[in-house]
Amino acid sequence: MIRELKTFVAVSQFGTFSAAGQRIGLTQSAVSAQMRTLEEALGMRLFDRSGRAVALNADGTRVLPMAEEILTLFARMAQPENLAEYRGSIKIGAIASVQTGLLPGVLVSVHQQAPALETKLIPGVSSSLLTQVDAGNIDLAVIIKPSFALTKDLYAETVQREPFVLIAPADVAGDDVVELIRQHPFIRYDRSSFGGRMVSQFLREQRLDPQLALEIDEIDAIVKMVEMQLGVALVPLAGLWTDRPANVRILPLGELTFYRELIVVMRHANRQAPLHKFFVGTLINHAISKQEPSDKG
């Protein structure tokens, strides 16, 4: 019955028997047959069928989290207690600054403890990665905490809080961050991203309408543009640039400081899975170990 439960979860995610079958390598008729078998075994209908589309009915909605829990427990049964004997793979989503900042050290530690584990890194922006975790396409993701509440199917833990700072070319004088933004071209953290929205809120609160030089969703690239004297920028103190000498001035925001919160997010049903707990623990421990040296403000 495990295969039927896996197919049931896939159908709930992708909306049709055909789409679910394409994702898990079954024909539409095979998916339909498995769902009939599952419904007969449970003695209840799980879907409202209307043409090609299917939707969970009340019983299907009630059964879904239990099916996910059963699959999680089944997966745990296949994992050895010794991390060194772990097999299989894990798909990890990460925003760009995490890929160049926290993640390399974390992955080194993970592979030292579980050398047979395969890790696949999925790059993306926070909103896209959150959607992929919700859909079950990736196991977990390290993203910026959104301003809205997560769905009940998702679980998150805080990794660290990163302060925003103003960076300016090395030869730019002055310490008043608001005046520097007013007086110089501004390199904007993409306003459609979670972090960029925080910059937009800061600009609104300070009644600033800076002269836009460039808009981009890549922190290390923004730092490079500032080094090349294209303008000034508000960025979180995070990413590869904090580990190398950067030819910029870093100005703390003082009482105006705002933070972006990094979280690791996964489906709620997986929060107790040994592999997920192992990765999250390694990630948070690594973030704590880096916190002091990265506190350069």
Side-chain angles (χ1 to χ4, degrees):
M1 197 56 66
I2 291 295
R3 68 173 185 171
E4 283 81 6
L5 290 176
K6 288 181 178 179
T7 303
F8 170 62
V9 171
V11 173
S12 73
Q13 291 172 350
F14 302 112
T16 68
F17 289 171
S18 176
Q22 289 176 1
R23 291 298 185 112
I24 60 178
L26 294 175
T27 64
Q28 180 176 341
S29 60
V31 172
S32 181
Q34 286 191 17
M35 293 304 90
R36 283 197 302 271
T37 299
L38 181 61
E39 288 178 325
E40 289 171 2
L42 294 175
M44 65 182 71
R45 295 178 65 86
L46 301 173
F47 300 97
D48 289 328
R49 294 167 170 83
S50 176
R52 294 182 60 190
V54 294
L56 294 180
N57 60 21
D59 284 330
T61 301
R62 180 181 62 83
V63 166
L64 179 60
M66 291 185 279
E68 292 175 328
E69 186 174 353
I70 290 170
L71 293 175
T72 298
L73 289 171
F74 183 76
R76 287 172 60 184
M77 290 170 63
Q79 291 291 355
E81 291 187 11
N82 187 347
L83 288 174
E85 298 175 2
Y86 260 74
R87 297 292 187 274
S89 63
I90 184 169
K91 293 181 180 179
I92 302 164
I95 58 175
S97 60
V98 171
Q99 293 176 53
T100 60
L102 276 178
L103 206 54
V106 172
L107 292 180
V108 168
S109 180
V110 165
H111 284 290
Q112 286 173 342
Q113 297 178 72
L117 178 67
E118 295 180 12
T119 53
K120 183 174 183 181
L121 179 59
I122 313 296
V125 297
S126 293
S127 56
S128 171
L129 294 173
L130 186 62
T131 299
Q132 291 190 68
V133 173
D134 198 16
N137 296 332
I138 57 180
D139 295 292
L140 47 80
V142 189
I143 64 172
I144 303 168
K145 183 179 180 179
S147 57
F148 52 83
L150 300 179
T151 67
K152 61 181 178 62
D153 293 328
L154 296 179
Y155 171 81
E157 287 192 36
T158 297
V159 177
Q160 65 183 21
R161 296 174 75 235
E162 300 167 336
F164 275 77
V165 295
L166 182 74
I167 55 173
D171 61 354
V172 167
D175 296 321
D176 187 323
V177 296
V178 172
E179 285 304 314
L180 287 173
I181 294 172
R182 284 199 179 105
Q183 295 169 6
H184 295 274
F186 189 67
I187 303 169
R188 188 160 189 157
Y189 190 177
D190 184 0
R191 70 194 82 190
S192 67
S193 68
F194 290 167
R197 293 173 194 173
M198 299 175 72
V199 171
S200 295
Q201 182 179 345
F202 175 88
L203 296 176
R204 285 194 303 270
E205 290 174 350
Q206 302 307 316
R207 295 181 172 84
L208 292 169
D209 185 19
Q211 175 191 344
L212 185 63
L214 179 69
E215 183 167 349
I216 185 172
D217 184 28
E218 172 54 66
I219 294 172
D220 291 308
I222 292 174
V223 176
K224 187 65 177 178
M225 298 298 178
V226 175
E227 287 183 309
M228 299 296 291
Q229 301 190 344
L230 186 62
V232 301
L234 287 164
V235 294
L237 201 59
L240 184 63
W241 74 278
T242 62
D243 292 327
R244 64 171 176 82
N247 190 29
V248 297
R249 293 185 61 213
I250 303 174
L251 293 94
L253 303 184
E255 62 183 15
L256 300 179
T257 300
F258 60 103
Y259 299 81
R260 74 172 191 177
E261 187 173 334
L262 280 186
I263 60 173
V264 55
V265 62
M266 67 204 75
R267 290 189 64 81
H268 206 277
N270 292 329
R271 72 192 187 283
Q272 296 297 332
L275 186 55
H276 288 64
K277 291 177 68 175
F278 163 56
F279 181 84
V280 171
T282 304
L283 176 67
I284 292 175
N285 287 338
H286 190 73
I288 292 171
S289 71
K290 286 197 68 172
Q291 191 64 48
E292 224 174 276
S294 70
D295 203 359
K296 298 175 182 177

